[in-house]
Amino acid sequence: LHELILPIKKTMTQRLVRVLADLPSLKGLTPGGMDNKMLDALEKVDGATRLTSINLSTIHQTQQIIDREERLLSAPMLQTITTLKHHSQNNPAEQRVHETLANNPDLLPELHTLHYTRGLNPKALRKYVEEYPKSFARLSTLKISNLVLSHRSEQTDTLWATFTAIALPPSIT
């Protein structure tokens, strides 16, 4: 098993978290739904995994949990992550991920790539870069799978100008 993608309605059980932590081949994880039991399980597992990628595109759709993003990103099992994936529209969960990374530079020490997997909102990216520069300063790669500038042609020039005017940190090449 190289990658596990759980649907939003499924949360990882404590047993599944332990099994995943012992899989030497597992590189990518999309955790699906989250609850306190899952976060508790992630916090208890030693950091001996080989995970390199986590897709957090589902966390904005799960129930509200106090300090959810900080608990998730500080889990020992996830400290080998090099690539963080998001959908990127402009949602509070994604904003909290950037805030958590900016305020806790020791989390995810191997992180170097931010990958937007769906239609990137240039205004949201500009907002995140401006509000959380420390979150982006630790990155060397910004990967965008699908840049959606507009569904209406009159907005395309404005959104393209917004996108090209984003002052990315020098670390991102």
Side-chain angles (χ1 to χ4, degrees):
L1 180 65
H2 296 285
E3 185 168 0
L4 178 65
I5 302 170
L6 292 173
I8 294 169
K9 294 181 181 179
K10 298 287 183 185
T11 58
M12 293 190 297
T13 63
Q14 291 181 348
R15 183 171 180 230
L16 179 58
V17 169
R18 285 193 305 270
V19 168
L20 295 177
D22 292 334
L23 288 176
S25 62
L26 184 66
K27 302 290 185 218
L29 177 64
T30 301
M34 289 186 208
D35 60 17
N36 280 314
K37 288 181 182 179
M38 185 200 99
L39 292 170
D40 290 343
L42 283 172
E43 290 170 339
K44 291 177 185 174
V45 172
D46 290 333
T49 66
R50 291 178 180 82
L51 279 174
T52 58
S53 174
I54 187 162
N55 187 338
L56 298 181
S57 60
T58 59
I59 67 170
H60 70 281
Q61 299 172 354
T62 59
Q63 62 177 308
Q64 294 300 315
I65 300 169
I66 296 173
D67 297 329
R68 173 183 60 186
E69 289 78 13
E70 187 168 351
R71 289 181 67 195
L72 177 68
L73 296 175
S74 64
M77 183 175 165
L78 303 180
Q79 296 311 298
T80 55
I81 296 297
T82 61
T83 302
L84 179 66
K85 296 180 181 181
H86 276 301
H87 275 349
S88 182
Q89 288 307 315
N90 186 5
N91 67 68
E94 188 169 320
Q95 185 170 342
R96 286 189 301 268
V97 166
H98 285 296
E99 182 178 4
T100 299
L101 291 173
N103 293 334
N104 301 284
D106 295 335
L107 295 182
L108 306 182
E110 305 296 321
L111 182 66
H112 58 70
T113 301
L114 177 61
H115 180 181
Y116 287 112
T117 59
R118 286 183 44 190
L120 174 67
N121 178 338
K123 292 179 183 177
L125 179 60
R126 183 181 66 199
K127 174 185 171 185
Y128 296 147
V129 169
E130 290 173 358
E131 290 184 15
Y132 307 106
K134 290 180 183 177
S135 175
F136 285 85
R138 61 195 302 183
L139 301 174
S140 61
T141 304
L142 178 64
K143 184 176 179 180
I144 301 169
S145 291
N146 186 10
L147 179 61
V148 176
L149 293 174
S150 177
H151 295 288
R152 292 175 276 163
S153 61
E154 65 270 11
Q155 288 183 340
T156 301
D157 290 340
T158 304
L159 289 174
W160 180 251
T162 300
F163 177 69
T164 57
I166 296 171
L168 294 172
S171 62
I172 297 179
T173 57

